[in-house]
Amino acid sequence: MPTALIYSAATTGPDGRIYVLGGQDSNGVMTASVEVYDPSQNTWSTVADMPTVHYQSSAVTGADGRLYVLGGYDQNYQPIATVDAYDPSSNTWTTPTVLPATVGPQFASTLGRDGRIYVVGGYDVNYNINGQVEAYDPASNAWTTLASMYAPRINFAAAISLPDGSIFALGGQD
């Protein structure tokens, strides 16, 4: 990578390129930058910066082709509820929604087979580890609260099972 970063989010765009979003550089500065790796050309480039600094956030490529960067912390280590969306075809950002008021940082997210973005676990706003599950529908710009996870956790990964659509929470702390 051109810039050494920690606590970035990453997702593969609809164009097959890998987008590395935000994080903290080697000088301890939180960033809103977006670096893009093109595996077919073995090259790095940059695209438009995010409108919000996202540190220790989560990223998902939506069914609509936009890249969603969800929550995390700002440059002052304060939790943020911002959800920013990037359109690779126009190199522009929007902020279509914010996380539900009950969602705190250090959750995981994944795209469901139904086109919704699932936000699972993490802290609540009082820093209690929880198992909440929220689903965001970009088409209707609406959030839905779903049944909680069996085991609450933070600092983990989430993945979807393609055969049946189940969400798996992998690793983390409880």
Side-chain angles (χ1 to χ4, degrees), residues 1-6 8-10 18-22 24 33-37 43-45:
M1 288 182 59
T3 308
L5 295 168
I6 60 171
S8 298
I18 300 166
Y19 292 76
V20 180
L21 305 126
Q24 181 181 18
S33 68
V34 181
E35 295 187 3
V36 184
Y37 178 67
T43 58
W44 284 92
S45 60

Side-chain angles (χ1 to χ4, degrees), residues 14 25 27 33 53 63 99 104 119 124-125 127 144 148 153 169-171 174:
D25 69 18
N27 296 316
S33 68
V53 168
L99 295 167
V119 172
D124 65 18
V125 294
Y127 278 92
T144 303
S148 292
R153 62 188 69 197
L170 308 157
D174 57 8

Side-chain angles (χ1 to χ4, degrees), residues 43-74:
T43 58
W44 284 92
S45 60
T46 58
V47 296
D49 284 356
M50 296 180 289
T52 309
V53 168
H54 287 270
Y55 166 82
Q56 205 169 2
S57 61
S58 187
V60 173
T61 298
D64 60 3
R66 294 190 296 172
L67 284 57
Y68 292 84
V69 184
L70 305 106
Y73 297 93
D74 66 13

Side-chain angles (χ1 to χ4, degrees), residues 9-155:
T11 189
T12 302
D15 55 6
R17 298 186 307 166
I18 300 166
Y19 292 76
V20 180
L21 305 126
Q24 181 181 18
D25 69 18
S26 59
N27 296 316
V29 177
M30 303 330 181
T31 181
S33 68
V34 181
E35 295 187 3
V36 184
Y37 178 67
D38 185 338
S40 68
Q41 301 295 318
N42 192 28
T43 58
W44 284 92
S45 60
T46 58
V47 296
D49 284 356
M50 296 180 289
T52 309
V53 168
H54 287 270
Y55 166 82
Q56 205 169 2
S57 61
S58 187
V60 173
T61 298
D64 60 3
R66 294 190 296 172
L67 284 57
Y68 292 84
V69 184
L70 305 106
Y73 297 93
D74 66 13
Q75 63 272 19
N76 298 312
Y77 296 100
Q78 296 300 307
I80 57 172
T82 306
V83 177
D84 291 320
Y86 176 71
D87 182 344
S89 65
S90 64
N91 192 32
T92 59
W93 286 91
T94 58
T95 305
T97 189
V98 294
L99 295 167
T102 58
V103 176
Q106 297 186 24
F107 55 81
S109 63
T110 190
L111 178 67
R113 289 188 329 170
D114 58 4
R116 296 190 297 174
I117 296 170
Y118 291 83
V119 172
V120 296
Y123 285 115
D124 65 18
V125 294
N126 297 313
Y127 278 92
N128 298 305
I129 298 173
N130 74 76
Q132 68 189 14
V133 178
E134 304 283 344
Y136 174 64
D137 183 351
S140 65
N141 197 32
W143 287 92
T144 303
T145 300
L146 303 172
S148 292
M149 291 190 307
Y150 172 72
R153 62 188 69 197
I154 59 171
N155 298 323

